């Protein structure tokens, strides 16, 4: 999308300098209006919503600080750049504190101003984009604690909306860290049972005999150490939801007992002769392939069908990369606000300096790395990566590639080939690959001043391999 021309107000009392700047800014695509006094600038600002104001600090009459103040008061998003004479840097810093984006000191090269201008515009664009992403986070792309904008996640949100209302048993499958437990909680909190308890039991974390006692409870004297009568998780979850995690680890004996609960909605506490009735909704989760376990006869087929009434599958994060930027925003917000919370609890913030969360963004390059990485640990691993990055970013306002672990940093380099247009007539594959090899080698040699040893290390090639490739490639160098 071609960007619209930016409207710029240039305030400078030295006419020759002003005219020269206006001309060059015009050549760079800016639509420039000029003002030679602060008074005139205020009038122009009152009538027109400029994108940018560049103002000299020292002006006869109303000075640059006032011009900037009035511009910002009218247009909070305006980009303000201060031009100052030698010796007034302190005033310029003051202006930045009041909301100017940058300053340049006279005498300056035009490129210096242009650079300040472009990076200020880029900053403003990022700010707007982050604000946009944040507003989306609040709107369509979430369901309870779940975030996502990929088609798979949006379909999931619709499904969750409908299945929450029912009481049917649900089986949630997906790799580790894909959000199975978040899904289970989201269903509970969106169901008519939300006022009752959500009880979670990880079947993989406890030995079989304990699991049975945990699930069903026991009466006094049921086994050695059973001092009193104790409610099991099933009873605790009565009228609410029972979340059975890692269901694939259940022993055959427990599988049978669970099947009965699902069928009859009743059970006995261990050692009890009395049957207890329960009304629970069961949500089970697993990262193993239950269907395969059924085929191998390690998981009961009848139980599988009882659980799998409504199957919900969470795709791995690498198959829904579109969710990554949104998740990153979400975790940045989470960890930067935790950070300020922690700071506040340690000591009182100085007067007038409220402890506010850093408004953290992320560089496009760092985001590219995150999107190229395969995430074997899925969302949980991404969450940990962002927590680490926030901690490493110190007081900065932007996460950089260097805040990521080396394997994530490298991900974008081993990513896909550069965007190749595949024309109707096709391409010459070998020639294309040769071309890429040649390019990489040329760049490595350029970077190392022609040193083949260093170049081969940069490319992680043996020196002899590099030399061989050079020999093979050189005749084609001109092609
Ligand atoms: N779509 C999502 N939006 C926001 N946070 C998510 C999402 N998916 C997962 N998370 C977060 O990732 C972490 C892991 O999620 P969860 O514990 O639900 O994974 P899991 O599938 O149960 O993993 P495991 O199989 O290892 O138990 C949690 O901190 C959760 O908050
Ligand atoms: Mg889990």
């Amino acid at each position: 999308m071609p960007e619209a021309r930016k409207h710029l107000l240039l305030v400078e009392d030295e006419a020759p300098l002003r005219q020269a700047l206006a001309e060059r800014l015009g050549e760079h695509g800016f639509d420039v209006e000029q003002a030679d006094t602060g008074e005139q600038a205020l009038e122009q600002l009152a009538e027109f919503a400029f994108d940018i104001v560049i103002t000299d600090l020292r002006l006869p009459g109303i000075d640059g600080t006032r011009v900037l103040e009035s511009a910002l008061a009218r247009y909070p998003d305006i980009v303000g750049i201060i031009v100052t004479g030698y010796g007034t840097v302190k005033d310029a810093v003051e202006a930045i504190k009041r909301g100017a984006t940058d300053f340049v000191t006279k005498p300056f090269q035009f490129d210096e101003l242009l650079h300040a201008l472009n990076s200020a515009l880029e900053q403003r664009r990022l700010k707007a984009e982050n604000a946009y992403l944040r507003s989306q986070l609040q709107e369509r792309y979430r369901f309870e604690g779940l975030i996502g904008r990929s088609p798979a996640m949006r379909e999931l949100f619709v499904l969750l909306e409908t299945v929450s209302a029912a009481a049917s048993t649900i089986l949630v499958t997906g790799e580790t860290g894909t959000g199975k437990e978040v899904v289970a909680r989201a269903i509970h909190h969106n169901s008519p049972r939300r006022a009752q308890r959500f009880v979670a039991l990880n079947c993989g974390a406890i030995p079989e005999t304990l699991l049975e006692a945990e699930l069903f409870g026991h009466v006094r004297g049921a086994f050695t150490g059973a001092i009193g009568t104790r409610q099991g998780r099933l009873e605790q979850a009565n009228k609410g939801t029972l979340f059975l995690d890692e269901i694939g680890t259940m022993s055959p004996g427990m599988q049978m007992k669970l099947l009965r609960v699902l069928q009859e909605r009743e059970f006995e506490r261990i050692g009890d002769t009395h049957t207890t009735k329960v009304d629970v909704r069961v949500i089970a989760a697993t990262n193993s392939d239950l269907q395969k376990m059924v085929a191998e006869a390690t998981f009961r087929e009848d139980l599988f069908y009882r659980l799998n009434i409504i199957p919900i599958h969470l795709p791995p994060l690498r198959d829904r990369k579109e969710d990554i930027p949104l998740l990153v925003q979400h975790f940045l917000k989470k960890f930067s606000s935790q950070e300020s919370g922690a700071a506040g609890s340690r000591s009182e913030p100085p007067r007038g300096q409220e402890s506010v969360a850093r408004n953290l963004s992320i560089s496009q390059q760092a985001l590219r790395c995150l999107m190229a990485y395969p995430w074997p640990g899925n969302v949980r691993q991404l969450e940990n990566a962002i927590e680490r990055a926030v901690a490493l970013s110190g007081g900065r306002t932007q996460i950089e590639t260097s805040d990521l672990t080396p394997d994530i940093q490298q991900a974008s380099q081993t990513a896909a080939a550069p965007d190749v247009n595949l024309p109707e007539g096709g391409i010459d594959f070998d020639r294309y690959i040769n071309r890429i090899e040649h390019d990489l080698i040329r760049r490595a040699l350029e970077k190392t001043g022609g040193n083949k040893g260093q170049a081969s290390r940069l490319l992680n090639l043996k020196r002899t391999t590099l030399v061989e490739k050079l020999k093979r490639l050189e005749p084609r160098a001109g092609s």
Side-chain angles (χ1 to χ4, degrees):
M1 207 173 55
E3 291 225 8
R5 273 169 84 87
K6 297 272 186 262
H7 294 274
L8 187 155
L9 177 63
L10 178 63
V11 195
E12 168 63 68
D13 56 332
E14 284 174 48
L17 174 62
R18 187 182 67 237
Q19 274 148 15
L21 284 178
E23 196 171 310
R24 301 225 38 202
L25 286 165
E27 286 163 13
H28 280 84
F30 294 97
D31 210 318
V32 185
E33 296 274 330
Q34 305 181 33
D36 57 3
T37 63
E39 286 77 358
Q40 198 192 330
L42 294 194
E43 274 172 31
Q44 280 162 286
L45 280 166
E47 274 165 31
F48 190 79
F50 289 93
D51 298 291
I52 306 153
V53 55
I54 299 181
T55 178
D56 194 359
L57 205 53
R58 291 281 144 89
L59 295 166
I62 291 180
D63 69 1
T65 315
R66 294 264 311 276
V67 171
L68 181 75
E69 249 169 32
S70 144
L72 283 166
R74 275 180 202 281
Y75 315 111
D77 282 336
I78 201 167
V79 167
I81 294 192
I82 297 287
V83 175
T84 98
Y86 179 74
T88 52
V89 172
K90 241 175 74 193
D91 299 331
V93 171
E94 193 52 41
I96 299 258
K97 281 191 194 150
R98 288 170 194 230
T101 322
D102 208 346
F103 69 91
V104 287
T105 337
K106 281 186 200 168
F108 56 88
Q109 299 286 320
F110 179 73
D111 280 349
E112 216 179 302
L113 177 67
L114 195 63
H115 179 78
L117 195 49
N118 283 331
S119 61
L121 286 170
E122 173 65 10
Q123 254 180 54
R124 189 178 71 162
R125 198 185 58 75
L126 274 177
K127 203 171 118 192
E129 200 174 280
N130 281 330
Y132 170 70
L133 276 175
R134 259 194 296 277
S135 73
Q136 293 214 317
L137 269 182
Q138 273 143 28
E139 289 162 21
R140 279 163 297 156
Y141 301 126
R142 65 186 318 157
F143 182 89
E144 301 286 339
L146 282 164
I147 284 156
R149 66 183 305 169
S150 58
M153 289 303 277
R154 281 196 272 179
E155 255 171 54
L156 176 73
F157 297 164
V158 175
L159 179 66
L160 290 181
E161 197 81 60
T162 47
V163 303
S164 294
S168 348
T169 303
I170 293 180
L171 179 63
V172 192
T173 56
E175 287 179 12
T176 179
T178 45
K180 298 185 292 295
E181 180 153 355
V182 198
V183 162
R185 288 181 191 275
I187 294 171
H188 174 74
H189 287 294
N190 211 48
S191 79
R193 296 169 177 257
R194 71 176 72 84
Q196 308 298 322
R197 293 184 66 183
F198 175 90
V199 177
L201 178 60
N202 187 337
C203 308
I206 27 180
E208 183 182 350
T209 46
L210 276 182
L211 179 61
E212 190 177 352
E214 275 297 323
L215 194 57
F216 301 117
H218 56 77
V219 293
R220 194 173 156 192
F223 46 82
T224 339
I227 306 161
T229 296
R230 202 173 141 235
Q231 261 195 356
R233 303 286 171 103
L234 258 172
E235 270 179 275
Q236 290 172 1
N238 195 24
K239 307 260 187 259
T241 306
L242 177 67
F243 177 55
L244 295 174
D245 207 355
E246 294 194 42
I247 193 86
T249 61
M250 257 191 187
S251 69
M254 278 303 290
Q255 288 180 29
M256 203 171 71
K257 289 179 176 143
L258 177 62
L259 180 66
R260 178 177 163 224
V261 177
L262 292 178
Q263 281 172 341
E264 321 283 343
R265 303 283 153 180
E266 61 181 36
F267 66 97
E268 285 94 37
R269 296 176 187 155
I270 301 176
D272 202 351
T273 46
H274 172 79
T275 299
T276 309
K277 291 234 169 253
V278 276
D279 165 22
V280 288
R281 174 185 218 170
V282 173
I283 303 179
T286 180
N287 50 31
S288 33
D289 185 346
L290 285 190
Q291 235 154 344
K292 195 166 147 231
M293 291 177 69
V294 167
E296 290 163 352
T298 49
F299 200 86
R300 290 184 72 108
E301 188 171 21
D302 44 10
L303 177 59
F304 174 71
Y305 287 115
R306 276 280 159 191
L307 291 171
N308 203 34
I309 310 248
I310 301 174
I312 293 182
H313 180 69
L314 285 167
L317 190 56
R318 63 183 162 281
D319 291 348
R320 45 180 168 108
K321 288 188 192 299
E322 298 152 87
D323 291 339
I324 292 177
L326 213 57
L327 284 166
V328 168
Q329 280 298 325
H330 170 69
F331 293 135
L332 278 179
K333 208 166 142 188
K334 172 174 168 186
F335 292 116
S336 55
S337 61
Q338 278 182 6
E339 187 181 60
S340 68
S345 64
R346 261 202 308 274
S347 60
E348 284 292 306
R351 234 169 229 290
Q353 250 181 286
E354 297 287 295
S355 85
V356 275
R358 274 194 285 162
N359 207 349
L360 261 176
S361 61
I362 181 160
S363 76
Q364 288 295 100
Q365 207 205 334
L367 196 56
R368 278 196 289 278
C369 293
L370 293 174
M371 289 178 77
Y373 186 73
W375 301 110
N378 295 293
V379 186
R380 181 182 294 113
Q381 190 189 4
L382 175 66
E383 184 171 1
N384 295 340
I386 299 300
E387 182 171 17
R388 176 184 188 275
V390 169
L392 287 181
S393 66
R396 274 180 279 127
T397 56
Q398 195 170 59
I399 300 289
E400 303 291 348
T401 314
S402 54
D403 300 324
L404 307 171
T405 56
D407 53 333
I408 300 173
Q409 286 184 31
Q410 276 152 27
S412 76
Q413 294 165 17
T414 45
D419 271 347
V420 186
N421 238 333
L422 282 178
E424 289 291 315
I427 58 162
D428 181 335
F429 182 82
D430 289 331
R431 201 165 147 167
Y432 187 82
I433 297 296
N434 275 338
R435 184 83 218 190
I436 291 181
E437 282 195 67
H438 178 254
D439 253 26
L440 283 174
I441 291 173
R442 181 183 50 77
R443 273 188 238 175
L445 285 170
E446 262 171 30
K447 193 164 176 153
T448 58
N451 183 319
K452 288 178 191 157
Q454 283 177 15
S456 62
R457 274 193 293 281
L458 259 188
L459 297 171
N460 270 304
L461 287 176
K462 278 198 220 132
R463 190 177 189 283
T464 46
T465 313
L466 179 106
V467 172
E468 257 168 50
K469 283 187 185 293
L470 266 176
K471 271 197 212 130
R472 189 163 52 81
L473 292 169
E474 251 150 20
R476 283 176 178 272
S479 69

